[in-house]
Amino acid sequence: MIAFRPLTAADFPAWRDYFISDYAREIVENYRLTPGEAQRQAARDVELSFPDGPGTAGQQLVHILAADGESSQSIGYLWYKPDPIMRSVFICDFFLFAHCRGQGFGKAALHQLETQLAAEGYTQMMLRVAAHNTAARRVYDACGFNVTGINMNKVLNRTGDEQRKD
């Protein structure tokens, strides 16, 4: 069984460290920024998104828990932003720890989130998946997500060699 538990202030630094590092790698790979630029952008995005830490209004940041009887363990993180007016939710980050992948937890967590959100009156979940993340894409496809567009970017005023230096 899957459950969710809000991150506490004590949990937040570990999530922030994971997220900035992981997001910076994605930025380098997908947006062709230098590692230093990517690290600064990822840190800035966290600061802007969570000025009050995990309790920031308008943000939901939770542990994904695998519950077995009376015990449960954190198997990953989920960050989403509900839009009560549009009755939609945007999933900003969905992460399972490496040792928990490929066991059906991802699909189960998305199903649990869908069930919870539908019960709360939400009618749509949205997300963005990195182009290279084929494993995540398979999970989202299997859970009924549809492709709604393609993100593209172009780094200006750089050559290929310059964009990898920092």
Side-chain angles (χ1 to χ4, degrees), residues 1-4 64-66 75-78 91 93-115 125 127 135-145:
M1 182 175 96
I2 298 292
F4 303 114
I64 303 168
L65 304 174
I75 60 170
Y77 302 113
L78 173 62
I91 298 171
D93 186 49
F94 177 63
F95 177 79
L96 293 178
F97 302 132
H99 69 279
C100 299
R101 296 177 192 154
Q103 301 175 50
F105 289 130
K107 291 176 193 165
L110 288 170
H111 177 72
Q112 179 63 29
L113 180 63
E114 179 180 346
T115 300
M125 293 190 309
L127 56 81
R137 174 73 189 269
R138 281 192 300 273
V139 171
Y140 300 138
D141 286 343
C143 289
F145 284 82

Side-chain angles (χ1 to χ4, degrees), residues 146-151:
N146 298 309
V147 175
T148 60
I150 298 173
N151 293 325

Side-chain angles (χ1 to χ4, degrees), residues 37-164:
E37 290 169 330
Q39 187 79 13
R40 287 186 293 278
Q41 179 178 325
R44 181 176 176 272
D45 286 353
V46 168
E47 287 176 29
L48 291 174
S49 296
F50 291 96
D52 299 321
T56 298
Q59 308 283 3
Q60 296 294 319
L61 185 56
V62 300
H63 284 280
I64 303 168
L65 304 174
D68 182 17
E70 293 183 20
S71 67
S72 63
Q73 70 173 12
S74 179
I75 60 170
Y77 302 113
L78 173 62
W79 166 23
Y80 62 95
K81 295 192 291 190
D83 182 337
I85 294 170
M86 297 302 295
R87 306 309 302 158
S88 65
V89 167
F90 189 85
I91 298 171
C92 302
D93 186 49
F94 177 63
F95 177 79
L96 293 178
F97 302 132
H99 69 279
C100 299
R101 296 177 192 154
Q103 301 175 50
F105 289 130
K107 291 176 193 165
L110 288 170
H111 177 72
Q112 179 63 29
L113 180 63
E114 179 180 346
T115 300
Q116 175 184 314
L117 294 173
E120 295 171 7
Y122 288 92
T123 60
Q124 181 175 216
M125 293 190 309
M126 299 172 287
L127 56 81
R128 178 200 166 275
V129 62
H132 72 281
N133 196 342
T134 56
R137 174 73 189 269
R138 281 192 300 273
V139 171
Y140 300 138
D141 286 343
C143 289
F145 284 82
N146 298 309
V147 175
T148 60
I150 298 173
N151 293 325
M152 299 177 78
N153 89 316
K154 180 178 181 179
V155 177
L156 304 178
N157 300 321
R158 287 210 193 137
T159 66
D161 292 338
E162 290 174 330
Q163 62 186 333
R164 294 294 173 195

